[in-house]
Amino acid sequence: MKVDRDLGADAPYGPPPPSDTAVEPARTPRAIDPRAFGVVFVLWHPDASHLIHLDDAHAACRHVVAVDNSPEADADLHERLRGAGIEVVFNRNAGGISGAYNRGVEALLARGCQVVFLLDQDSQLGPDFFARMMQACAQVGSQAFVLGPKVFEANLGRYLPVFSPAGRMPRPERIDDRVEGLIPTLFVISSGSAISAAAYRELGAFREDYFIEYVDIEYGLRATRQGIPVYVNAAVEMRQQVGRFFKRGIFSTSNHVAWRRYYASRNAVHALRSNASRWSVHWLIELLTLHQVLCVLVCEEHKLRKIVAIAVGYFDGVFGRLGAFEQRHPRLAAFCRH
C-alpha cells in the first residue's frame, strides 16, 4: 500500500517472577502462531508521516485495523485505506484512546488473532519489530500476558525505565544497557505493546472512563494485580515521541493542552489510590500533582487554564468522579479547551 501519509491496550497463567531480574525464555514455546497477530493503529488528525507509519505496519502485518479518533471523518482517506486492505473504524473519539483500543481489539479478536499490538501514529518501528516481538510472545510461558518493547523517548533522549512488581515500593529501574531478556514490570506504555487474546479476555477492556492518560498504566497494574505477567522485551526497541517537548533548567514537560492536564491529574490520582493497598504508591499522588503544577508555572503558557484543570482533576480523582471532562464540567472544560 502506498498512501499520502499528540494522539488525539483461557489457559492457566502464573504470577510474575518474584525478582526484578530478567527471566530466561521458556524452553518449550507455547502454541502461539507467529502469523496470528494483528495491529490496532490509532489515528488522530493524521499527517503524511503518520500514514507512512501505518503503511509500514501494514507491510509487516496482514491484520490491521485503523481506528480513526478524529472528530470528523476523512472519507477520501478511509476509502483509500479500505482499498489497500486496511479495516477502518471511525470512532470519533468515543471513549478517547481507550475506546479506540477497545474497538480495534474487538475487531481483531473476531478475526481470531491470538496477539494484538497497539500502535499510536507517532511510533516508529524497526523492520523486524513484529517478528521479534512474536518470538518473545511464544517464549513467555503463559497464554495470558502483556509485553512491551524497550522504548526510547526521543523528547527525553533516553530509554523509559521499568518498575519492578516485586515488593511494596516500586522504584524506577534503568534498562539502557539491557539488550536481551524479558524484564518484569508493573506496566508498559500502550503503543508498541502486545496483549494476548487470553489476557484481554481475562482483564476486560481498557477503561473508557479514563478517556486518555494513565490508560496503559491502569491496565498494567490491573494485569499485575490479577497475576497476569507484564514484561518489557529488552531485545526489541521502539522510538517514541509524544507532545511538544520543552525543557527549562531541571524541569521538562510535554506541554500538553489544559484539558489533557485534567485527565493526567485525575487519572494519576485515581489509578494510584485504587492500587494503594497492593503497592505503597500513595505518596506519589501529591508529588506527581505538584510536579505538573511546577512544570506549568516554569515552562508553559496558558498557566491559569492548566492549573485550574490540574486542581479540578485532582479532586475528581480523589472522589472517583470519572468520565469525559466536558460532560462532568462543561463550563470548565470550555475554559480549559486549549
Side-chain angles (χ1 to χ4, degrees):
M1 176 190 74
K2 294 296 177 187
V3 295
D4 298 327
R5 317 278 199 232
D6 263 14
L7 185 63
D10 302 67
Y13 52 83
S19 69
D20 59 356
T21 58
V23 297
E24 294 297 324
R27 294 183 180 277
T28 304
R30 308 290 291 184
I32 295 288
D33 185 343
R35 300 165 298 178
F37 69 93
V39 174
V40 178
F41 196 101
V42 181
L43 298 172
W44 172 265
H45 296 301
D47 61 26
S49 66
H50 300 141
L51 296 178
I52 290 175
H53 297 161
L54 175 56
D55 187 17
D56 292 341
H58 188 229
C61 176
R62 182 176 61 168
H63 302 289
V64 176
V65 176
V67 183
D68 191 351
N69 250 8
S70 306
E72 300 298 332
D74 185 335
D76 290 339
L77 172 62
H78 294 177
E79 182 179 358
R80 279 182 286 151
L81 294 179
R82 292 187 177 108
I86 296 175
E87 181 177 349
V88 178
V89 176
F90 180 50
N91 190 55
R92 203 187 292 268
N93 213 24
I97 187 66
S98 299
Y101 289 156
N102 291 334
R103 302 296 87 72
V105 172
E106 290 157 6
L108 290 172
L109 293 187
R111 296 189 187 189
C113 292
Q114 297 178 9
V115 175
V116 173
F117 287 87
L118 308 177
L119 282 182
D120 298 345
Q121 62 187 15
D122 298 301
S123 301
Q124 301 176 45
L125 310 179
D128 57 351
F129 177 86
F130 294 114
R132 297 180 70 186
M133 285 291 287
M134 286 301 293
Q135 182 181 35
C137 290
Q139 297 173 334
V140 166
S142 170
Q143 287 293 302
F145 58 84
V146 178
L147 181 67
K150 181 178 174 181
V151 177
F152 182 81
E153 173 48 59
N155 284 328
L156 299 176
R158 62 174 182 262
Y159 293 97
L160 298 184
V162 299
F163 289 80
S164 171
R168 284 276 300 166
M169 184 71 73
R171 291 182 175 86
E173 175 187 339
R174 306 302 313 174
I175 59 171
D176 303 49
D177 298 328
R178 304 291 288 274
V179 294
E180 62 181 11
L182 304 180
I183 306 172
T185 184
L186 282 174
F187 53 83
V188 294
I189 71 166
S190 54
S191 189
S193 64
I195 303 173
S196 70
Y200 188 83
R201 293 184 179 115
E202 179 76 18
L203 294 170
F206 288 91
R207 292 195 64 145
E208 296 189 20
D209 54 2
Y210 270 37
F211 198 76
I212 194 172
E213 304 291 357
Y214 277 75
V215 169
D216 42 13
I217 293 176
E218 188 281 329
Y219 205 77
L221 293 174
R222 194 194 321 171
T224 304
R225 194 173 62 242
Q226 296 186 29
I228 293 178
V230 182
Y231 297 113
V232 163
N233 180 11
V236 177
E237 295 186 9
M238 183 186 75
R239 184 180 178 88
Q240 178 85 354
Q241 185 170 356
V242 178
R244 295 183 296 113
F245 188 76
F246 184 82
K247 184 175 178 65
R248 176 172 293 169
I250 63 173
F251 295 99
S252 58
T253 174
S254 56
N255 203 28
H256 285 313
V257 295
W259 63 265
R260 282 196 68 169
R261 287 291 182 186
Y262 166 81
Y263 287 112
S265 174
R266 186 197 70 182
N267 295 351
V269 172
H270 188 266
L272 296 179
R273 284 173 62 92
S274 298
N275 288 278
S277 62
R278 174 64 178 82
W279 295 285
S280 297
V281 291
H282 58 280
W283 58 275
L284 277 173
I285 297 171
E286 282 71 28
L287 183 62
L288 288 171
T289 304
L290 178 61
H291 180 262
Q292 278 206 73
V293 170
L294 290 176
C295 283
V296 169
L297 292 176
V298 173
C299 302
E300 301 186 19
E301 298 177 344
H302 308 298
K303 300 182 191 301
L304 178 59
R305 293 176 182 177
K306 294 181 180 182
I307 297 300
V308 169
I310 292 170
V312 174
Y314 176 86
F315 287 106
D316 278 356
V318 168
F319 293 104
R321 297 189 291 250
L322 305 177
F325 188 17
E326 62 270 18
Q327 293 177 356
R328 182 161 293 282
H329 305 287
R331 292 184 179 178
L332 284 174
F335 174 68
C336 297
R337 185 168 297 170
H338 303 292

